[in-house]
Amino acid sequence: MVAHRCVPFLIVAALCTGFLFVVFRSSSWRDIPQSLGLGHHEPTEYEKIHALPDLRTTRPKVDYPHIGEGVFKEPKIESSSPYPVGQTKPPGSNYTRCLVVARLKSESTAWIDEQLDDMLASGLLSKAVYTVDDRSAPLHPPRNKGHEVMVYLSYIIDFYDDLADVNIFMHAHRYTWHNNELLNNDASLMVRHLSPERVTRDGYMNLRCHWDPGCPSWLHPGATEKNPEKGEETLVADAWAELFPFDPIPAVLSQPCCAQFAVSKERVLALPKQRYVGLRDWVLRTELSDYMSGRVFEYTWQFLFTAAPLHCPSMSACYCDGYGYCFGSPQAFDYWFEMRYLRESYKQELHIWRERADLIEEARQRSTDGRVKEDALLEVPEPGRNVWLRDQIKNLTVEMERSRSAAFELGKEPRHRALEAGREWRDGDGY
Ligand SMILES: *[C@@H]1O[C@H](CO)[C@@H](O)[C@H](O)[C@H]1NC(C)=O
Ligand SMILES: *[C@@H]1O[C@H](CO)[C@@H](O)[C@H](O)[C@H]1NC(C)=O
């Protein structure tokens, strides 16, 4: 059934319910941990000295612009990767893909079989699910340390001579805030729609299109001043000479967050297997804890696979060329996210409206004469505002769905993908 060579063992996902949470852009969304929760979390002595607060809970929030706030300007950062553009296959050709996932024994990856069964059955998708805390699992890393880093490197080492055309590295959970919002934060949709051609051309693709957090300028490892908001900055500086002894420390390391990406076979093979073994040895040896050693890699994968410290492709190009959702222009693309932002703010307002209304209703029921005393100091919600908010939310939802479907239709057209990605297109070219 699962025919691809890259998974010699069938992993039967026994757990049947995936954990499911959709995190909207609310004030607390950054508090949701993106990490796998692998291994221990006790800081070592070294880490106690060096560790600083988790980035995602202390960083200031960067909000999308409000609707009507002017022309959208997407900053441009040209990739400085010295690698040549990878050669795609003739249009219509098949690409093999392998989905590499790190999981704890307690985490379910049943979503892979449930959501991607057709791709698995066709033999074009295979999976390599590594269970980090079960040494009897068919695939497991030598040690449960370094979060997903250990698993990603172990896969490359284990399958170096037998890689898929496109190797997709992901966490075990299906839904998470750092998955792409336009794809419902759903990992299975990201795998399904990922363009193997874009991965092949670029060699390396961060699966997250959104720049925040991570782009356009994130870690400054050469900085002499300690930045209290970025604990890894000094950790990366300390580790750099061990990880990349022949490269000077870059002034800036940036890419979208969260360590999920795809790499072409050709690009993996651009480095000798021994290189990956050496990196894994570093993770095995380092005094940094599981958690911090994982953090060090989050903003260095792009350097490993592109030899460029910055990897911040245009968001709209990432969605269009990378996943086939083409809005026609960065402005039109941004408008969709403005609608989404507005909708989330209306949802929050409605939530607060209802809470206030409930409080007043409670007070009314408690009082003897059915009247709320003035000294109850309750904030009275504006009458009718709830109906208006509900309408707006409904209208925005309809418009967003319409616009997303149109973008998906446009994305079926290879010419549009090339156009939005800013690459040349000739008649007969495929994606
Ligand atoms: C691609 O794979 C599908 C499913 O396995 C198969 O039906 C189709 O013939 C293949 N196409 C090419 C061009 O090999
Ligand atoms: C929602 O859309 C309907 C139909 O297009 C329109 O009549 C209504 O005024 C809109 N509601 C709001 C609150 O904009």
Side-chain angles (χ1 to χ4, degrees):
M1 265 185 31
V2 178
H4 193 263
R5 304 158 295 171
C6 124
V7 182
F9 310 101
L10 241 185
I11 296 155
V12 180
L15 305 170
C16 48
T17 47
F19 71 89
L20 191 151
F21 56 87
V22 179
V23 180
F24 289 114
R25 205 185 164 82
S26 68
S27 56
S28 62
W29 70 291
R30 280 187 199 287
D31 303 340
I32 306 294
Q34 64 91 11
S35 64
L36 288 162
L38 303 180
H40 70 98
H41 281 267
E42 261 86 58
T44 62
E45 282 312 308
Y46 179 91
E47 213 179 296
K48 278 182 199 154
I49 300 163
H50 290 80
L52 291 160
D54 183 280
L55 301 173
R56 263 169 224 90
T57 56
T58 56
R59 283 187 63 224
K61 241 173 75 177
V62 182
D63 288 329
Y64 294 115
H66 291 270
I67 278 192
E69 217 173 60
V71 180
F72 175 70
K73 284 189 219 76
E74 193 174 56
K76 273 211 165 23
I77 293 189
E78 299 302 330
S79 165
S80 57
S81 175
Y83 283 107
V85 174
Q87 192 61 49
T88 51
K89 301 181 186 188
S93 300
N94 284 325
Y95 289 78
T96 54
R97 303 158 173 86
C98 185
L99 175 57
V100 184
V101 167
R103 76 180 270 257
L104 285 165
K105 215 170 157 180
S106 60
E107 285 177 314
S108 170
T109 52
W111 61 269
I112 302 172
D113 298 277
E114 287 161 12
Q115 303 300 316
L116 302 169
D117 54 340
D118 56 325
M119 293 178 79
L120 290 165
S122 76
L124 295 176
L125 176 71
S126 59
K127 54 177 183 163
V129 179
Y130 280 71
T131 310
V132 296
D133 55 350
D134 180 5
R135 299 192 66 80
S136 65
L139 294 176
H140 62 265
R143 240 181 100 186
N144 179 16
K145 193 178 174 212
H147 278 207
E148 73 276 348
V149 179
M150 183 70 76
V151 166
Y152 293 0
L153 291 172
S154 291
Y155 164 78
I156 291 175
I157 294 161
D158 293 347
F159 295 97
Y160 189 82
D161 299 318
D162 208 5
L163 295 164
D165 295 329
V166 170
N167 304 277
I168 308 169
F169 298 86
M170 295 190 99
H171 299 167
H173 31 240
R174 180 176 172 198
Y175 292 104
T176 163
W177 66 264
H178 64 76
N179 282 344
N180 287 321
E181 289 167 18
L182 195 62
L183 294 150
N184 301 337
N185 302 93
D186 183 342
S188 75
L189 289 180
M190 289 164 69
V191 173
R192 179 173 296 284
H193 294 295
L194 179 69
S195 160
E197 288 85 357
R198 181 169 171 97
V199 178
T200 302
R201 266 191 304 273
D202 292 355
Y204 170 85
M205 174 176 162
N206 191 313
L207 295 180
R208 179 171 167 80
C209 293
H210 299 267
W211 281 21
D212 175 32
C215 279
S217 167
W218 186 236
L219 290 186
H220 302 81
T224 45
E225 295 280 307
K226 247 189 184 178
N227 182 336
E229 300 212 329
K230 296 173 188 177
E232 316 95 287
E233 213 158 69
T234 46
L235 294 178
V236 170
D238 290 347
W240 190 267
E242 292 168 30
L243 293 171
F244 301 98
F246 304 112
D247 299 290
I249 298 183
V252 181
L253 283 166
S254 271
Q255 70 164 337
C257 83
C258 305
Q260 298 194 114
F261 49 81
V263 193
S264 71
K265 176 188 198 158
E266 188 188 18
R267 190 58 61 83
V268 173
L269 297 180
L271 297 173
K273 182 171 168 180
Q274 204 49 41
R275 182 76 177 100
Y276 302 106
V277 174
L279 290 171
R280 188 174 68 175
D281 283 347
W282 181 87
V283 181
L284 286 166
R285 273 198 338 261
T286 181
E287 281 186 40
L288 297 180
S289 73
D290 173 43
Y291 174 71
M292 270 302 168
S293 52
R295 265 306 174 73
V296 164
F297 270 82
E298 188 173 340
Y299 295 99
T300 45
W301 287 116
Q302 83 281 16
F303 189 80
L304 183 65
F305 290 118
T306 70
L310 296 181
H311 182 77
C312 299
S314 143
M315 291 179 244
S316 55
C318 172
Y319 267 120
C320 177
D321 198 34
Y323 294 102
Y325 284 84
C326 302
F327 288 84
S329 70
Q331 287 84 349
F333 162 84
D334 198 50
Y335 187 66
W336 193 89
F337 286 93
E338 286 173 355
M339 287 194 288
R340 189 181 195 278
Y341 177 85
L342 195 62
R343 187 180 66 174
E344 296 318 310
S345 66
Y346 286 157
K347 278 183 180 171
Q348 274 187 34
E349 195 187 331
L350 186 58
H351 182 73
I352 291 166
W353 193 99
R354 286 187 179 135
E355 274 181 354
R356 285 184 181 154
D358 286 350
L359 279 178
I360 288 184
E361 186 52 33
E362 267 176 46
R364 183 172 291 134
Q365 284 177 7
R366 271 202 308 274
S367 72
T368 44
D369 56 359
R371 294 171 68 120
V372 183
K373 294 205 176 62
E374 302 220 342
D375 63 0
L377 288 178
L378 293 170
E379 223 174 315
V380 182
E382 185 189 324
R385 180 77 177 163
N386 56 334
V387 177
W388 185 85
L389 287 169
R390 238 183 4 235
D391 261 18
Q392 289 285 358
I393 291 165
K394 210 167 85 192
N395 283 11
L396 280 166
T397 302
V398 169
E399 178 53 18
M400 283 166 67
E401 217 22 75
R402 192 203 59 73
S403 157
R404 175 163 53 184
S405 301
F408 189 62
E409 284 307 309
L410 202 56
K412 289 179 180 168
E413 186 51 59
R415 196 172 56 84
H416 275 287
R417 293 203 191 186
L419 198 73
E420 280 193 48
R423 83 190 135 74
E424 212 185 317
W425 192 84
R426 287 170 309 267
D427 269 344
D429 278 357
Y431 296 130

